[in-house]
Amino acid sequence: MASHIVGYPRMGPKRELKFALESFWDGKSSAEELEKVATDLRASIWKQMSDAGIKYIPSNTFSYYDQVLDTTAMLGAVPPRYNWTGGEIGFSTYFSMARGNASVPAMEMTKWFDTNYHFIVPELGPDVKFSYASHKAVNEYKEAKALGVDTVPVLIGPVTYLLLSKPAKGVEKTFPLLSLLDKILPIYKEVVAELKAAGASWIQFDEPTLVLDLESHQLEAFTKAYSELESSLSGVNVLVETYFADLPEATFKTLTSLKGVCGFGFDLVRGTKTLDLIKSGFPSGKYLFAGVVDGRNIWANDLSASLTTLQSLEGIVGKDKLVVSTSCSLLHTAVDLANEPKLDKEIKSWLAFAAQKVLEVNALAKALTGQKDEAFFSANAEAQASRKSSPRVTNEAVQKAAAALKGSDHRRATNVSARLDAQQKKLNLPILPTTTIGSFPQTIELRRVRREYKANKISEEEYIKSIKEEISKVVKLQEELDIDVLVHGEPERNDMVEYFGEQLSGFAFTANGWVQSYGSRCVKPPIIYGDVSRPKPMTVFWSTAAQSMTKRPMKGMLTGPVTILNWSFVRNDQPRFETCYQIALAIKNEVEDLEKAGITVIQIDEAALREGLPLRKAEHAFYLDWAVHSFRITNCGVQDTTQIHTHMCYSNFNDIIHSIINMDADVITIENSRSDEKLLSVFREGVKYGAGIGPGVYDIHSPRIPSTEEIADRINKMLAVLETNILWVNPDCGLKTRKYTEVKPALENMVAAAKLLRTKLASAK
């Protein structure tokens, strides 16, 4: 029985790639040094899987930024503004597309389906001259082969690539991107030919858009693409991999009828209904790659249950055609439990990170051939039983409080326009008020202080003194810049979700459980293993300390329940919405304590609300109902004069704008600049928004500093579709990943642009 891994984390067990990338970007190391780190990481990943007995080991899942950008490079689809003149695409062009440079902005970045991973959105149009411009897939296959590992090269499929793209600036928004299929397929043929010549016996095409609600012409594009590729694919085994959800019945039929394809991969963790489709009609003679090991969560697999599922599938497809696999790439999990010596032993026994999931896949494959590792399965069964019976998982008081939420929609008593009037009387803000999203740059010194405090190398008194000094610097800078509503800069927080999880019951934490979010950005998701509650106030001390340093309004900064949920590894033994309601009640307690402490502006970030939207439209309404309700629970009890902000970033919000309005926040700040102001199109189309809104005026994920004129131009575009009295001026997102040398001039220009337009608006009256 064969085993397969869809993809593997690329940052390294100690974030080796992150540090190598940042050193290269800062000019502290060479391209050769970066490539050496990458080469060593790839070699260790391939060796690990080979040593574990995995038969189908992926290559070309490693990336310096993301796999969609790698495909853009492969196809030579470089937007003209990067002045690429042809030839093999190097780091300069590649990273300019990802991050922008001094003269041009980056390409749009958005979420990869419903995960916290991001990808760079291709910009396409009828005039794009595609060419084979990156031989990465072939080079990595050869690299692995030279090490004695025969891999399965992985390519983003041609139809998924086009469906994830957008029309370039200046191209009609209605331009049919799938019309470019005939232009990109010749390049895919070249890549396939080179892989075959290099000795590849299998090629994996990732086509995750197959799990979406596709129209008939989109489904036909898959049939067309693989029919066109059929002759080129002759002589090589082809796997089409899908993940993240069930396949609709019509899509399943289209997929399993594709020409030139001999294997199909399915997510059987999030796509349990696909099992019924397989049982009712899987094509004979084809390989089934059964994704029974969860690639998106960190809970140990229930090996006994998975083995039962696999045995039933074996009876359908045949012993020699069933391959045990992960549900998706392991990119979305932490790397290795071996790096967690301090993690609670009982909780640790319930978990499996990427390295452990590789072992689970192999153990299941061996069990199917009669080589069951009884000790491995027995330990797994004990861990499953321990988790189900552990008293630390359940808190009856929390469950009772969450159950009592049913029957109320938890809206504030007064409508938003009346609240905004009351808040303006208290806050006395100018038109086009300026603010930032929360965090300020996290300096090396600041990180050192936090690290030493955690390691008990400095006292609590020294830590508090250092953090207060940092807050004072941030407050002083904002006052010098003349920003209207201030933030304390979050110097006490390494990560917005981890910070709150550490102070809530029901959460566990790792030392090295890092997961890539985009580029070099890694997050360390908390693990929600039990019922959630707030033992004591979490932010009141720092918020009141910051407010005491200024007469201007100081925002209390919280992470919302939906974002804490979506950016954590969530328990899988109860519905997600139940866990979310528990978190909402904990945040509600914090909001009310902040208000009592005199904080008049409270921001409850819901950066990940859109990210959690199910991939299938039929499931949208249920999710949005409980997600929006959870947000309203957090602030339903505050006074009219307390201004509630929320923040969202890097997703497509247009299709959920009515749910955003239904959140009933007083002010929303929202990503806008990097997505080419796509958000504003909603308001051009007539959606009325009566609360305060701050579409981001510049992209903080690029080191580029926008000019005053550029920002003023963005604000003018906003004023064309939004009322002057509701518009706020702010960056796209928090500033923690930037340097002060970038932040200070960018904010100076932002405030100058706001003042310039205030003057123009006043003189126009």
Side-chain angles (χ1 to χ4, degrees), residues 385-458:
S386 156
R387 187 174 164 217
K388 284 175 184 170
S389 62
S390 176
R392 67 202 302 181
V393 171
T394 307
N395 181 326
E396 285 186 21
V398 171
Q399 293 199 348
K400 198 171 179 182
L405 293 170
K406 292 167 186 171
S408 169
D409 65 1
H410 297 90
R411 288 184 185 276
R412 290 169 77 178
T414 312
N415 67 44
V416 70
S417 60
R419 298 198 308 263
L420 288 173
D421 287 343
Q423 291 155 15
Q424 179 58 15
K425 284 174 186 170
K426 187 167 188 174
L427 298 171
N428 194 28
L429 298 172
I431 59 166
L432 306 181
T434 53
T435 191
T436 64
I437 304 305
S439 61
F440 265 64
Q442 301 259 319
T443 62
I444 293 170
E445 173 62 17
L446 183 56
R447 292 179 191 276
R448 182 192 64 77
V449 167
R450 282 202 308 260
R451 192 168 55 247
E452 290 187 353
Y453 177 59
K454 277 200 166 185
N456 295 316
K457 290 181 179 177
I458 61 173

Side-chain angles (χ1 to χ4, degrees), residues 698-758:
Y698 78 91
D699 174 24
I700 65 87
H701 287 95
S702 169
R704 186 173 165 272
I705 298 162
S707 67
T708 299
E709 294 73 24
E710 182 183 330
I711 294 174
D713 180 57
R714 285 194 185 278
I715 299 170
N716 271 321
K717 287 178 181 175
M718 297 171 192
L719 287 169
V721 292
L722 293 165
E723 297 294 329
T724 309
N725 64 335
I726 65 168
L727 187 61
W728 285 64
V729 177
N730 47 263
D732 262 349
C733 205
L735 305 170
K736 69 186 294 182
T737 60
R738 301 267 55 90
K739 299 180 178 70
Y740 273 105
T741 52
E742 300 158 348
V743 165
K744 189 174 178 184
L747 291 179
E748 280 175 345
N749 293 347
M750 184 187 84
V751 173
K755 288 181 175 179
L756 177 70
L757 288 169
R758 285 174 197 160

Side-chain angles (χ1 to χ4, degrees), residues 62-101:
F62 182 91
S63 178
Y64 287 106
Y65 214 87
D66 86 77
Q67 68 272 33
V68 180
L69 183 62
D70 292 348
T71 310
T72 294
M74 182 185 85
L75 297 170
V78 181
R81 65 180 177 275
Y82 300 108
N83 296 318
W84 175 63
T85 53
E88 188 82 2
I89 288 174
F91 282 153
S92 176
T93 300
Y94 181 87
F95 288 128
S96 289
M97 289 192 287
R99 306 177 72 239
N101 57 43

Side-chain angles (χ1 to χ4, degrees), residues 52-66:
I54 301 298
K55 181 176 181 181
Y56 299 114
I57 297 170
S59 61
N60 199 40
T61 59
F62 182 91
S63 178
Y64 287 106
Y65 214 87
D66 86 77

Side-chain angles (χ1 to χ4, degrees), residues 368-678:
L368 281 169
T369 62
Q371 299 173 285
K372 187 177 179 183
D373 185 335
E374 295 293 350
F376 192 80
F377 271 73
S378 176
N380 176 267
E382 284 177 23
Q384 298 291 326
S386 156
R387 187 174 164 217
K388 284 175 184 170
S389 62
S390 176
R392 67 202 302 181
V393 171
T394 307
N395 181 326
E396 285 186 21
V398 171
Q399 293 199 348
K400 198 171 179 182
L405 293 170
K406 292 167 186 171
S408 169
D409 65 1
H410 297 90
R411 288 184 185 276
R412 290 169 77 178
T414 312
N415 67 44
V416 70
S417 60
R419 298 198 308 263
L420 288 173
D421 287 343
Q423 291 155 15
Q424 179 58 15
K425 284 174 186 170
K426 187 167 188 174
L427 298 171
N428 194 28
L429 298 172
I431 59 166
L432 306 181
T434 53
T435 191
T436 64
I437 304 305
S439 61
F440 265 64
Q442 301 259 319
T443 62
I444 293 170
E445 173 62 17
L446 183 56
R447 292 179 191 276
R448 182 192 64 77
V449 167
R450 282 202 308 260
R451 192 168 55 247
E452 290 187 353
Y453 177 59
K454 277 200 166 185
N456 295 316
K457 290 181 179 177
I458 61 173
S459 67
E460 184 174 22
E461 188 179 346
E462 290 172 301
Y463 172 72
I464 289 172
K465 182 173 179 284
S466 295
I467 297 297
K468 281 188 173 180
E469 285 172 359
E470 184 68 22
I471 292 172
S472 179
K473 285 180 200 170
V474 170
V475 171
K476 187 179 178 186
L477 173 60
Q478 291 172 94
E479 289 187 326
E480 287 171 356
L481 292 167
D482 204 17
I483 291 173
D484 300 304
V485 175
L486 311 190
V487 298
H488 76 292
E490 304 177 6
E492 79 283 15
R493 308 177 194 183
N494 178 59
D495 176 87
M496 60 190 279
V497 173
E498 183 181 9
Y499 176 79
F500 288 98
E502 283 177 338
Q503 301 182 76
L504 294 168
S505 62
F507 282 74
F509 293 87
T510 62
N512 293 293
W514 297 99
V515 178
Q516 185 182 17
S517 179
Y518 63 86
S520 68
R521 169 90 170 123
C522 296
V523 294
K524 198 164 45 158
I527 298 165
I528 305 178
Y529 67 83
D531 291 333
V532 178
S533 61
R534 185 197 72 146
K536 61 182 181 180
M538 303 180 285
T539 65
V540 176
F541 176 79
W542 297 116
S543 292
T544 52
Q547 183 64 80
S548 72
M549 298 174 189
T550 182
K551 291 182 179 177
R552 300 183 186 215
M554 174 65 63
K555 285 198 274 193
M557 299 299 306
L558 305 175
T559 302
V562 185
T563 296
I564 290 176
L565 183 88
N566 285 336
W567 286 357
S568 297
F569 290 125
V570 183
R571 58 190 293 189
N572 58 0
D573 58 345
Q574 71 177 17
R576 287 172 71 88
F577 70 85
E578 289 185 15
T579 303
C580 198
Y581 284 155
Q582 293 177 1
I583 302 168
L585 286 172
I587 299 299
K588 180 177 187 287
N589 293 338
E590 187 71 13
V591 168
E592 290 168 2
D593 279 350
L594 281 168
E595 184 183 57
K596 285 174 195 166
I599 303 300
T600 55
V601 181
I602 302 171
Q603 182 169 308
I604 308 165
D605 284 348
E606 283 296 13
L609 188 138
R610 173 62 175 79
E611 172 188 311
L613 191 70
L615 299 176
R616 304 286 286 284
K617 288 174 186 171
E619 299 166 21
H620 285 190
F622 178 66
Y623 167 78
L624 289 168
D625 180 63
W626 64 254
V628 169
H629 187 193
S630 295
F631 176 82
R632 288 201 307 263
I633 287 166
T634 65
N635 60 87
C636 63
V638 300
Q639 299 171 34
D640 288 355
T641 50
T642 297
Q643 190 166 84
I644 299 295
H645 289 223
T646 191
H647 170 68
M648 295 183 174
C649 57
Y650 297 100
S651 280
N652 180 10
F653 302 108
N654 295 23
D655 54 351
I656 64 161
I657 191 66
H658 293 289
S659 294
I660 292 173
I661 293 169
N662 199 28
M663 290 170 73
D664 199 29
D666 297 310
V667 179
I668 180 168
T669 52
I670 196 162
E671 183 274 325
N672 171 66
S673 63
R674 186 155 181 173
S675 59
D676 198 25
E677 298 158 350
K678 187 167 29 178

